[in-house]
Amino acid sequence: MKRSGTWKKATAVTTALLIAATVWQTGTAAPEIEAASKISEINKQLEAIKKQTKDAAATQKSAEKESKDVLALKNQAASSVNEILKQLDEVGQQMNGVQKQIDQTEDDLMQAGQQLEEAEDRVEKRDKMLQSRLRLMYQNGVVSYLDVLMSATSFTDFVDRFDALQAIVNQDKDVLEQHKKDKALIAQKKVEIENKLSDVKEMYTKLDDYQTVLAEKEKTKEKLIAEYNQKMEELEDISEEQEQLMVDLAKKQADLERKKREEQKKQTVFYTGGKLAVPLKDSYRISSGFGYRIHPIYHTKKLHAGIDMAAPEGTSIYAAEGGVVITAGWTSGYGNTVILDHGNGLWTLYGHIRNGGIKVKVGDSVKRGEKIAEVGSTGNSTGNHLHFEVRVNGTPKDPTSYLK
Ligand SMILES: [Zn+2]
């Protein structure tokens, strides 16, 4: 809304200037109008630059704010990563512990296997021994045992010998039973160790899985941090670009303002040499010239600083050159007076204007030949006339040498 309003205003100003330029084009050349139009163009550009600068500042500010937000997110992610790394460390330590248990259990298992083999060996040996003794006793051995028995010297000796054999066999049987029990115990222990190994291995697998999950999590967070870093870099680039843009715009603005001052200077320079326009167009007569004379009222010798142009009351007075009105009102001696500044130190003065005859006001720009006042006889005057002065840097000059 604001933008369109500004444009409308700018357009209206341009239109007014165009109309003014068209009207004045029919009159004398008007460098001041050209300058005014240039100034209006510069003002438009300045307006645009100020808007661009404002936008750049806003963009930069928002980039900085966003960067701050991203930094907060990044810090959050970084602290998550730290937490995850701590957990990973803990899990790693646990896994080390479980690995030690696995190693120990595997050692135990190997030992149990060896023990079992040894027990089996013992059982086998004892079994073989028993078998061989029984074979001796009941099969092949019958002859020899009988021999042993038959060679007994007495029945008592026979019984003793038989008992002795029987005892050896029984002892073999007992030892074998014991070995079998040992073997069973060792086998059971081995199974237990195997179960334990399976348990710790399962635990290790679980920890391993957890470690994988944590590592995955960490990777995700690291990726996020990388993205945040990327984003922050981009935002910093934007901020720097806007900074550079603002510097460029400030330079442009300074250039335009300098140009504007130059144009404004041009605008106030209306007089660049040459003849001035005669301020009265209707018939008039020079009633008094420039120079020392006896004053008609004071009767003293005094410099008459201008020329008197006698004309009827109400005769139009025109600007001798384009200029700016610096006086428009009552001045002692001169009555109602207008003074125009034409630049380059040149002023013109119009005195004794009739009451209500001043048609301009201080600050007005007037063009050469534009009506500014009407003839009268105010102030120290003896009749209707225009007292016209030309001053260069304040010093009165003979106007006739300036008029064409
Ligand atoms: Zn005079």
Side-chain angles (χ1 to χ4, degrees):
M1 288 307 278
K2 199 182 167 193
R3 187 183 190 140
S4 79
T6 310
W7 276 114
K8 253 186 203 167
K9 208 170 161 188
T11 310
V13 169
T14 310
T15 310
L17 281 165
L18 281 172
I19 291 166
T22 311
V23 170
W24 285 334
Q25 221 167 22
T26 57
T28 53
E32 70 273 22
I33 301 311
E34 229 171 86
S37 147
K38 271 183 190 161
I39 287 169
S40 142
E41 183 53 43
I42 288 169
N43 280 339
K44 256 197 275 179
Q45 288 177 23
L46 278 170
E47 225 24 73
I49 282 172
K50 277 176 193 164
K51 163 106 180 49
Q52 278 174 286
T53 304
K54 208 173 142 191
D55 288 351
T59 305
Q60 191 191 35
K61 202 176 161 193
S62 108
E64 275 170 5
K65 195 203 163 294
E66 201 181 339
S67 183
K68 234 186 220 172
D69 293 348
V70 174
L71 180 63
L73 288 172
K74 183 197 157 186
N75 286 341
Q76 224 170 44
S79 101
S80 277
V81 166
N82 278 343
E83 192 51 45
I84 291 166
L85 286 176
K86 234 197 283 177
Q87 286 178 27
L88 270 172
D89 200 38
E90 278 168 25
V91 170
Q93 279 176 15
Q94 280 176 21
M95 281 170 82
N96 280 345
V98 173
Q99 185 59 56
K100 268 184 203 155
Q101 278 184 312
I102 289 172
D103 291 346
Q104 182 60 51
T105 310
E106 277 174 345
D107 280 354
D108 289 351
L109 190 60
M110 206 191 277
Q111 228 174 346
Q114 266 173 7
Q115 283 172 357
L116 189 60
E117 260 175 48
E118 281 164 14
E120 277 168 348
D121 238 28
R122 280 199 297 274
V123 168
E124 204 179 331
K125 274 182 188 159
R126 186 57 64 180
D127 197 33
K128 267 185 190 159
M129 198 177 287
L130 182 63
Q131 293 304 326
S132 72
R133 289 210 214 284
L134 286 174
R135 265 200 306 276
L136 277 173
M137 272 178 77
Y138 302 114
Q139 291 165 356
N140 310 339
V142 169
V143 175
S144 53
Y145 273 105
L146 277 178
D147 283 349
V148 171
L149 293 173
M150 288 310 167
S151 60
T153 51
S154 64
F155 181 71
T156 314
D157 188 31
F158 170 80
V159 170
D160 282 349
R161 286 180 185 223
F162 187 80
D163 281 353
L165 279 173
Q166 198 67 45
I168 287 167
V169 169
N170 282 344
Q171 197 190 2
D172 275 351
K173 264 188 184 165
D174 285 349
V175 171
L176 180 62
E177 281 310 309
Q178 194 52 50
H179 282 346
K180 277 185 177 167
K181 271 186 197 162
D182 284 353
K183 189 190 130 187
L185 274 174
I186 290 166
Q188 197 193 338
K189 195 176 149 198
K190 196 186 157 205
V191 169
E192 280 168 13
I193 291 169
E194 274 167 352
N195 285 341
K196 189 187 171 190
L197 184 63
S198 148
D199 284 353
V200 286
K201 275 188 173 169
E202 200 181 297
M203 191 185 286
Y204 191 88
T205 304
K206 273 183 190 165
L207 286 168
D208 196 39
D209 288 350
Y210 187 38
Q211 190 185 42
T212 305
V213 169
L214 283 173
E216 200 60 46
K217 250 191 189 173
E218 196 217 340
K219 224 167 104 185
T220 308
K221 293 281 177 189
E222 293 286 10
K223 205 178 141 201
L224 205 58
I225 287 172
E227 280 169 15
Y228 288 148
N229 279 338
Q230 172 77 22
K231 184 73 189 164
M232 276 162 70
E233 257 173 51
E234 283 168 18
L235 288 166
E236 202 175 312
D237 283 352
I238 290 175
S239 184
E240 273 168 17
E241 275 166 23
Q242 298 305 308
E243 186 80 48
Q244 187 55 48
L245 181 59
M246 281 194 276
V247 169
D248 292 347
L249 287 168
K251 239 161 89 187
K252 262 190 199 168
Q253 189 175 344
D255 280 353
L256 281 169
E257 271 163 2
R258 204 191 58 240
K259 260 190 203 163
K260 186 178 167 181
R261 280 194 300 276
E262 281 167 7
E263 289 300 331
Q264 277 171 335
K265 237 182 187 174
K266 266 190 217 165
Q267 200 181 7
T268 56
V269 176
F270 295 86
Y271 181 72
T272 53
K275 297 289 186 184
L276 298 174
V278 182
L280 296 183
K281 283 180 186 169
D282 301 325
S283 62
Y284 62 89
R285 109 192 129 77
I286 305 288
S287 56
S288 184
F290 175 88
Y292 285 92
R293 62 168 190 183
I294 301 297
H295 196 273
I297 291 170
Y298 305 115
H299 305 293
T300 52
K301 200 181 175 197
K302 232 186 142 198
L303 176 70
H304 185 228
I307 54 170
D308 292 341
M309 303 168 85
E313 185 180 32
T315 302
S316 292
I317 302 169
Y318 305 98
E321 181 55 278
V324 176
V325 178
I326 57 172
T327 299
W330 189 268
T331 304
S332 166
Y334 291 119
N336 294 316
T337 308
V338 167
I339 300 176
L340 300 180
D341 180 356
H342 308 289
N344 278 334
L346 187 82
W347 292 1
T348 51
L349 181 149
Y350 311 81
H352 311 305
I353 297 163
R354 74 164 178 172
N355 284 327
I358 294 177
K359 303 298 176 192
V360 290
K361 57 184 189 298
V362 172
D364 282 355
S365 275
V366 296
K367 67 175 184 70
R368 183 185 170 107
E370 185 179 334
K371 180 175 173 177
I372 54 170
E374 288 166 358
V375 171
S377 186
T378 56
N380 298 331
S381 172
T382 52
N384 289 316
H385 77 283
L386 166 65
H387 173 83
F388 178 64
E389 282 185 19
V390 173
R391 287 177 184 249
V392 174
N393 297 322
T395 307
K397 301 279 175 185
D398 186 354
T400 50
S401 59
Y402 281 88
L403 296 172
K404 60 178 179 182

